[in-house]
Amino acid sequence: MAMWLNQSFTDDFILLGIFSYSPTDLLLFSVVMLVFTVALCGNVLLILLIYTDPRLHTPMYFFLSQLSLMDLMLVCTNVPKMAVNFLSGKKSISFVGCGIQIGLYVCLVGSEGLLLGLMAYDRYVAISHPLHYPVLINQKVCLQIVGSSWAFGIVDGLVQMVVVMTFPYCSLREVDHFFCEILSLLKLVCEDTSLFEKVVFVCCVFMLLFPFSIIVASYTRILGTVLRMHSAKSQKKALATCSSHLTAVSFFYGAAMFIYLRPRQYRTPSQDKMVSIFYTVLTPMLNPLIYSLRNRDVIGALQKRLDRCRIGSHH
């Protein structure tokens, strides 16, 4: 065991990556870096606006700031390392670095999935029980929702990281991905991992379907409430507050289910890599855009901030 540990900790993994150096791939790489930059700026800006503007100190925006924090950490888990490897021509990642990537990735995807689910419940209470909303979604409940989302992800990330890092790896350590993705790593293990793969699959099904069922249940009830509303104006307003959340959910869950709930024989590394890019870079960029561009409060807060900057610069 000790000998194996020494060997594992000194040996790096090779990340084969997603891009070659062809003109098309250079263009794709530039697009990914642009999307990464927008995701970084968008999420930082949204977090700052939510924390500094008193009008945005409501449960929905508190959840949104946590979602942005998760997205920010998610893009920073995989993309910078991918960019460094691509630009330097080196393809290695250390054993410990690989473990950290797995832990963070699983933790953030798990937390974000559950938080998106619980945010649907928040929308349900806001639309179906508006008078009870301040009592039902009070500060304590907000902290419980966010705390349980993070806790759920952290436990899942730690467990998967520890298990994957204790497997013995064969001498060929080429991971066919642009980050240490758990299923790509399992292909390099020297012993039978079918039991663990089944456990991972069951975990994925639970992690996706449990929050997804909260979403479906919440939106079914919301739809019932909206259909009973008498004025078209209030129907439109209710649907507008949900449309942002539904858009974010469909991007996130669409990509996640495509990667993790497909039977093994239909999976190809190149498909998985493309969908992972979508999932780890594009969704984090879209979330702040979806929520801010379709939202008067956020736009108002941004204008106020810009006006202050303008006044400040004139003095």
Side-chain angles (χ1 to χ4, degrees):
M1 180 72 185
M3 192 180 88
W4 171 79
L5 272 176
N6 288 344
Q7 166 237 319
S8 287
F9 278 110
T10 51
D11 283 2
D12 290 354
F13 285 100
I14 304 295
L15 294 173
L16 293 179
I18 189 170
F19 302 119
S20 62
Y21 291 94
S22 70
T24 329
D25 279 3
L26 282 168
L27 180 68
L28 278 174
F29 175 74
S30 311
V31 171
V32 169
M33 292 320 289
L34 180 69
V35 171
F36 168 72
T37 311
V38 175
L40 213 59
C41 300
N43 284 298
V44 168
L45 187 64
L46 197 55
I47 292 169
L48 287 175
L49 283 177
I50 291 169
Y51 280 107
T52 54
D53 195 304
R55 283 181 306 173
L56 301 180
H57 291 176
T58 64
M60 185 178 99
Y61 290 109
F62 174 58
F63 299 142
L64 203 49
S65 69
Q66 293 299 306
L67 194 67
S68 274
L69 183 61
M70 290 168 184
D71 279 337
L72 197 57
M73 290 172 71
L74 186 62
V75 289
C76 293
T77 301
N78 305 333
V79 181
K81 180 65 184 162
M82 178 195 83
V84 167
N85 280 8
F86 179 76
L87 295 169
S88 68
K90 280 205 212 91
K91 290 189 168 185
S92 61
I93 183 169
S94 68
F95 186 78
V96 176
C98 208
I100 291 169
Q101 269 196 345
I102 286 177
L104 280 173
Y105 177 76
V106 172
C107 158
L108 294 163
V109 170
S111 300
E112 185 164 332
L114 186 58
L115 184 58
L116 279 170
L118 295 169
M119 281 168 80
Y121 171 72
D122 165 72
R123 291 298 82 212
Y124 155 67
V125 177
I127 290 166
S128 300
H129 305 285
L131 299 175
H132 298 134
Y133 184 74
V135 182
L136 288 172
I137 310 280
N138 56 31
Q139 198 178 6
K140 188 182 167 195
V141 173
C142 285
L143 293 173
Q144 283 170 341
I145 285 177
V146 166
S148 60
S149 299
W150 278 108
F152 177 70
I154 289 168
V155 169
D156 195 33
L158 281 174
V159 169
Q160 294 203 27
M161 177 176 82
V162 168
V163 175
V164 171
M165 294 288 105
T166 48
F167 278 131
Y169 287 90
C170 307
S171 51
L172 184 72
R173 293 177 160 227
E174 292 188 345
V175 183
D176 194 2
H177 218 298
F178 64 91
F179 67 99
C180 283
E181 196 261 343
I182 202 158
L183 298 170
S184 310
L185 267 182
L186 291 179
K187 292 175 186 162
L188 310 178
V189 173
C190 291
E191 58 185 48
D192 180 30
T193 58
S194 54
L195 177 67
F196 180 64
E197 282 180 52
K198 285 192 184 82
V199 173
V200 169
F201 183 72
V202 170
C203 277
C204 285
V205 170
F206 173 74
M207 276 171 68
L208 291 170
L209 296 189
F210 170 61
F212 197 66
S213 59
I214 302 174
I215 293 168
V216 173
S218 300
Y219 277 108
T220 311
R221 305 289 285 274
I222 287 172
L223 201 60
T225 307
V226 170
L227 293 174
R228 284 196 301 274
M229 287 176 178
H230 297 302
S231 81
K233 194 182 171 189
S234 45
Q235 281 187 334
K236 204 175 167 189
K237 193 182 170 194
L239 288 172
T241 59
C242 299
S243 62
S244 303
H245 180 256
L246 267 177
T247 315
V249 162
S250 37
F251 279 127
F252 183 86
Y253 279 96
M257 286 175 174
F258 180 78
I259 291 187
Y260 291 104
L261 302 187
R262 270 195 344 243
R264 198 171 171 176
Q265 61 269 33
Y266 297 117
R267 302 176 56 134
T268 64
S270 57
Q271 270 179 346
D272 278 0
K273 284 195 268 193
M274 283 325 275
V275 179
S276 294
I277 279 271
F278 181 85
Y279 189 94
T280 49
V281 196
L282 207 62
T283 313
M285 177 196 86
L286 290 172
N287 278 353
L289 293 179
I290 290 165
Y291 278 102
S292 53
L293 296 177
R294 304 174 72 160
N295 198 307
R296 285 204 195 106
D297 297 339
V298 175
I299 300 245
L302 187 58
Q303 279 170 339
K304 206 170 90 180
R305 186 74 35 228
L306 291 171
D307 289 344
R308 263 199 214 144
C309 293
R310 254 188 233 115
I311 294 163
S313 64
H314 286 318
H315 279 315

